[in-house]
Amino acid sequence: MTSLPMILASSTPRGNLTKTSSSTSQFPNPILNSPKQLRNLSNKTHLSLTISQLILTSPVLAADSFDSISDPPTGKIDLESVLVTIDNFFNKYPFFVAGCTFMYLVVYPAVIFYLRKYKPISAVNAFRKLKTEPDSQLLDIRDDKTLALLASPNLKFLGKSSVQVPFCESDEEGFLKRVKGSFSNPEDTVVCVLDNFDGNSSKVAELLIENGFKEAYYIRGGARGKNGWLAIQEELLPPPVHMSTAKNVKSSNNNEASIVGTEN
């Protein structure tokens, strides 16, 4: 009995068999017919898996790789990351940050304040300085109208006199010339500057220091301000150095005139 394969083989034309074999040879299966390529493919797959495992197990490489993936370089500063870094630094070194802040906000301004040669001074301390320091002088920078209403402190009791030079901000050179002409040795003179209120006294004190005076103080409250010379003179200053108002001057003149008329 003839077998079925033999029948199929005999029934199949030779030309068709040749075409089938040739078509098979023209399109070979690289996986089935190329063992070398199969080995190369398996090796590459194994290598890629090994590299991936290495990156994931290394925290540094993993962080760098994820950063490079999530945050591609754009050439711009990441403000949020900068703020986070600063916040972490403050949390890690709180005492250092507090010390630097204290130095900048308290110590540095205090040093600058005490090293400069022009400073504020109270009316009481200005009187004490005028009394105890021979080279100290009082400079009254109020205008003539104000002086007519409220005279300068009378310093004859201390063997001195108030120097009156009205300050004009538009004529600083002329003001400086008049002030220097009023003192024989500006480089050895300590000046206490008096204004109607605080006003321009601090500017004048700084201006005098910049132009050769030894020291300059601006009286806080001036003549009429809070805790100024007029406000504290009744309680803290002796009567000879009191400032006289126009009302007091008129009353004193009237008293003198009545006394003279009685005598006549």
Side-chain angles (χ1 to χ4, degrees), residues 79-106:
L79 182 60
E80 183 178 358
S81 63
V82 173
L83 294 177
V84 170
T85 303
I86 295 174
D87 183 66
N88 292 336
F89 179 82
F90 285 175
N91 294 330
K92 190 174 182 180
Y93 305 103
F95 295 103
F96 175 78
V97 174
C100 292
T101 304
F102 178 79
M103 291 286 291
Y104 180 76
L105 296 179
V106 179

Side-chain angles (χ1 to χ4, degrees), residues 159-175:
K160 300 178 181 180
S161 60
S162 300
V163 178
Q164 299 171 351
V165 181
F167 174 70
C168 181
E169 192 170 2
S170 60
D171 187 23
E172 291 184 356
E173 294 183 1
F175 171 77

Side-chain angles (χ1 to χ4, degrees), residues 34-94:
S34 303
K36 184 176 180 180
Q37 294 180 1
L38 181 62
R39 287 195 301 270
N40 293 337
L41 180 61
S42 62
N43 291 335
K44 291 180 180 179
T45 305
H46 178 71
L47 180 61
S48 62
L49 292 175
T50 305
I51 294 174
S52 301
Q53 292 176 356
L54 178 62
I55 293 175
L56 293 175
T57 54
S58 176
V60 177
L61 294 177
D64 292 340
S65 62
F66 284 123
D67 289 342
S68 62
I69 295 173
S70 60
D71 296 327
T74 59
K76 297 181 180 179
I77 298 175
D78 189 355
L79 182 60
E80 183 178 358
S81 63
V82 173
L83 294 177
V84 170
T85 303
I86 295 174
D87 183 66
N88 292 336
F89 179 82
F90 285 175
N91 294 330
K92 190 174 182 180
Y93 305 103

Side-chain angles (χ1 to χ4, degrees), residues 24 44 58 84 109 119 126 153 160 170 209 233 239 250 253 264:
T24 305
K44 291 180 180 179
S58 176
V84 170
K119 304 173 185 177
K160 300 178 181 180
S170 60
I209 289 300
Q233 66 179 8
K250 288 181 181 180
N253 291 336
N264 293 335

Side-chain angles (χ1 to χ4, degrees), residues 1 23 37 42-43 74 83 94 102 104 119 138 142 156-158 160 162 181 188-189 202 221 230 232 257:
M1 181 181 293
S23 62
Q37 294 180 1
S42 62
N43 291 335
T74 59
L83 294 177
F102 178 79
Y104 180 76
K119 304 173 185 177
L138 180 66
R142 297 176 296 156
K156 292 181 180 179
F157 172 72
L158 304 177
K160 300 178 181 180
S162 300
D188 297 327
T189 303
S202 61
L230 186 63
I232 58 110

